[in-house]
Amino acid sequence: MFGSFPNRAAAYAQVGVETGVTTADPHKLILMLFDGALLSIGTASAAMENQDIPAKGQAISKAIEIILNGLKASLDLNAGGELAARLSALYDYMSERLVYANLHNSRPALDEIHGLLESLREAWAGIAPGTTAATAAA
């Protein structure tokens, strides 16, 4: 009558994501992009370990899409100056390393990009509107 549990769970998760996107401020949306890319890389790592080539490829492709069409596309190169230009180059590097990881089953390449994204996410979270320096340091 209601479909299988995994289908219902996926539907509820999708509604939750869509609701979060429509109600999030721009700062929160970038955090969500970081979280999505990190989740995709974690999924790719697990798939690589399980030798699930199709799942690995899908997860890496999703991470690349989030990095290039989400994080990089959100940069304002005019207003952001040198920082935005450097982040743009870093996002290009990340996507190239992810392609390498996919082609060569390179866990170190996945770990490298995961670490870079975690660092950027942490820095972005630290500059949330309303965050004081003392709160960010804690």
Side-chain angles (χ1 to χ4, degrees):
M1 177 172 161
F2 293 107
S4 68
F5 176 75
N7 291 340
R8 287 183 287 164
Y12 287 127
Q14 184 63 33
V15 168
V17 168
E18 289 173 3
T19 301
V21 168
T22 58
T23 60
D25 62 56
H27 190 271
K28 176 71 174 168
L29 288 173
I30 299 299
L31 285 175
M32 293 174 76
L33 289 171
F34 281 121
D35 290 341
L38 288 165
L39 179 63
S40 293
I41 291 171
T43 300
S45 292
M48 189 180 288
E49 210 162 287
N50 293 328
Q51 298 179 354
D52 186 347
I53 304 303
K56 176 196 71 167
Q58 284 180 320
I60 288 176
S61 292
K62 185 174 182 179
I64 291 170
E65 184 176 345
I66 291 169
I67 290 167
L68 294 180
N69 296 328
L71 293 169
K72 182 178 178 184
S74 70
L75 295 172
D76 184 342
L77 296 174
N78 293 324
E82 184 180 347
L83 177 60
R86 288 178 183 253
L87 281 171
S88 178
L90 181 60
Y91 292 146
D92 286 337
Y93 170 77
M94 288 180 184
S95 68
E96 290 170 14
R97 288 295 286 163
L98 288 171
V99 168
Y100 176 88
N102 193 24
L103 292 174
H104 300 283
N105 285 321
S106 174
R107 180 67 189 261
L110 285 180
D111 292 344
E112 173 190 6
I113 302 311
H114 192 274
L116 289 170
L117 285 169
E118 276 188 331
S119 296
L120 289 172
R121 188 207 184 282
E122 183 179 314
W124 187 255
I127 62 166
T131 303
T132 63
T135 305

